[in-house]
Amino acid sequence: MENISFLVDYHVWAHNKVLQQLQAITAEEWNKELGGSFPTLRELYKHLIVADYRWLQRWKGVSLAPIPDTFVFENYTQLNAIWQPILQEMKTVADHFFATDPDQPLNFTTSAGANFTMPFWQTLYQVVNHGSYHRGQVTNMLRMLDKKPVGTDIFLFFVERG
């Protein structure tokens, strides 16, 4: 299998690019109903944190992790304080899988109760794809708030890395 370990780096890089931009979002903009599957930026980011946390826990062998009560945030600073440790640990755990066995099967249960087994590397594709999908929603929401979103295309990641 080709080494795809860069995908976790891209995931962290892209989220951090967008997170930096959220520093300028006001409380009103953070909670403004904009429509969509997650009507506010706050609700969308709550979903993203929960998803990354649950995938990280699955990578660590926890089939269906409960969400910590501490996952409460009202602004960028609180969001960043919760998410940065998750993103950094995702990188550490993913790097371990690629150094040992990216084909290692993971057994997990979704929040809907469905059970799955798949190799680690396939779950990494899910994490990155899920993040990209929702960053697109963030981009749309930022435009609706008259903000100019940052680019997070993977080619920009490769260009920046050299």
Side-chain angles (χ1 to χ4, degrees):
M1 179 182 71
E2 179 185 336
N3 186 341
I4 58 167
S5 63
F6 69 87
L7 285 174
V8 75
D9 296 321
Y10 167 69
H11 182 71
V12 171
W13 173 87
H15 277 312
N16 280 328
K17 293 286 260 189
V18 177
L19 280 170
Q20 290 170 3
Q21 191 172 23
L22 294 180
Q23 293 178 69
I25 298 296
T26 67
E28 180 184 342
E29 292 168 330
W30 190 243
N31 293 296
K32 185 174 183 176
E33 296 262 345
L34 299 168
S37 54
F38 299 97
T40 67
L41 279 168
R42 187 174 151 280
E43 289 300 314
L44 178 52
Y45 271 96
K46 186 160 75 171
H47 169 73
L48 284 167
I49 283 179
V50 165
D52 274 2
Y53 177 78
R54 282 215 165 123
W55 280 110
L56 171 61
Q57 296 310 307
R58 290 168 180 156
W59 293 353
K60 293 166 54 177
V62 179
S63 179
L64 179 60
I67 304 308
D69 294 336
T70 56
F71 279 24
V72 177
F73 55 90
E74 296 299 327
N75 56 44
Y76 160 81
T77 303
Q78 294 169 346
L79 164 66
N80 200 46
I82 295 167
W83 209 358
Q84 285 306 318
I86 295 168
L87 290 172
Q88 293 312 309
E89 191 173 3
M90 289 180 96
K91 165 101 177 90
T92 300
V93 173
D95 286 348
H96 174 75
F97 273 104
F98 282 107
T100 57
D101 183 11
D103 290 314
Q104 181 177 331
L106 302 178
N107 301 304
F108 60 91
T109 304
T110 66
S111 58
N115 295 310
F116 291 93
T117 299
M118 58 182 37
F120 162 77
W121 68 266
Q122 287 181 355
T123 68
L124 177 59
Y125 271 107
Q126 166 59 28
V127 167
V128 174
N129 187 62
H130 181 260
S132 293
Y133 174 80
H134 287 301
R135 278 189 305 276
Q137 291 178 317
V138 171
T139 294
N140 185 54
M141 290 174 142
L142 290 172
R143 286 187 176 127
M144 292 170 75
L145 294 169
D146 294 322
K147 310 288 183 195
K148 185 177 190 294
V150 296
T152 58
D153 290 323
I154 198 163
F155 89 91
L156 295 172
F157 167 74
F158 290 131
V159 167
E160 198 171 291
R161 287 182 78 187

